Amino acid sequence: MAGQDNDVVTAYPNHAPNKQEQNLPGLDAKMDPLASHTQLEKWDENGKPYLEEYAGNGRLKGKTAIVTGGDSGIGRSVALMFAREGANVSIVYLPAEQKDADDIVAMCAKNAMGSKEMHCIPADLMDEKAAKGVVDEHLKKWGRLDILVNNASKQIECKDFSQVDLAQAESVVRSNLLGMFALTKYSIPHLGRGACIINSSSVTARKGSLGMVDYSSTKGAIDTFTRSMAGQLMKKGVRVNAVAPGPVVTPLQPASRSGESMEGWAVGEPALLWQRPSQPAEQGPAYVFLADAGQSNQITGCVLPVNSGSYFTS
């Protein structure tokens, strides 16, 4: 496999992406190789890595959650891990991603414990009416809302900002920010004390991105939104936090980059402690932690970095 770094020690057998390209928004089912969404890397007493399936132990039992972009990538891991922790989950996805939505429904049905049903809501969150409809549909199905995960986002590479397509840049802003604003607005009246909001930020919010200026700008705004909403909702007893991943193997990457640049993408990158991109499964537990008030009740307004230490070499 071109781009593979044999010095990278990991239990994930195919951690280096192959040459590949997709159209936005991208499908997990077309990833090469397929990403891992529920297997976590562990280390034995001899320091040898192995993979273990995420099981869950009922930490979110009785809770319900909306996860946007929940059909694929990080959102799929979050939705599956929430379900394995006992939550009833609604995933929001673009209609073009129906294959991925069908796949996660089948994956959820195989849960050994926890919820076995994944409620699917196709919607384009750039439409305000659609955002309200998502909340209404979730409440109709589950009767309450405890956790909102604003995860859906879009990125389009442009290495020369003088050539940026402003219509595309506007769509990135509408997708990453205004869709989040709308869904949060319509969710707040239904979030009671002990509920939470978790937003998907990015390491690019602090480091920037030479090739994705508009995307990294929206992620910086998400950090500010997180802190602002945490203060506003504090008296309501609702916590608001964010997770800031580094490079993660998701369909968004081949859908927004050239096929050549995806070959061995982020493998051997000196800014990453583990010298490889993250699997979606390695992001999911951070969302579970922030959703579980028993573990994170004192955490609000926080942006949790899950990015292989890449802040330290920026």
Side-chain angles (χ1 to χ4, degrees), residues 199-255:
N199 305 314
S200 288
S201 180
S202 167
V203 68
T204 64
R206 291 185 61 179
K207 293 183 66 174
S209 172
L210 300 183
M212 297 182 181
V213 175
D214 47 4
Y215 170 82
S216 61
S217 298
T218 64
K219 293 302 181 176
I222 287 172
D223 286 4
T224 303
F225 175 81
T226 298
R227 291 188 289 268
S228 300
M229 289 305 305
Q232 189 174 117
L233 297 180
M234 188 174 295
K235 290 184 178 179
K236 188 177 172 69
V238 175
R239 296 177 299 109
V240 186
N241 294 293
V243 176
V248 185
V249 181
T250 72
L252 187 60
Q253 304 304 337

Side-chain angles (χ1 to χ4, degrees), residues 102-120:
D102 292 341
D103 288 346
I104 190 176
V105 167
M107 294 171 74
C108 185
K110 296 178 181 179
N111 279 350
M113 59 185 295
S115 175
K116 294 182 180 293
E117 181 180 4
M118 192 71 65
H119 184 46
C120 296

Side-chain angles (χ1 to χ4, degrees), residues 159-215:
K159 295 183 178 180
D160 181 354
F161 199 72
S162 69
Q163 302 300 312
V164 71
D165 184 319
L166 292 178
Q168 287 186 344
E170 180 181 357
S171 75
V172 169
V173 173
R174 292 191 63 84
S175 174
N176 298 5
L177 290 180
L178 296 183
M180 177 184 67
F181 287 177
L183 195 56
T184 301
K185 170 184 175 176
Y186 292 116
S187 295
I188 286 173
H190 308 285
L191 296 173
R193 182 166 294 277
C196 70
I197 298 172
I198 307 171
N199 305 314
S200 288
S201 180
S202 167
V203 68
T204 64
R206 291 185 61 179
K207 293 183 66 174
S209 172
L210 300 183
M212 297 182 181
V213 175
D214 47 4
Y215 170 82

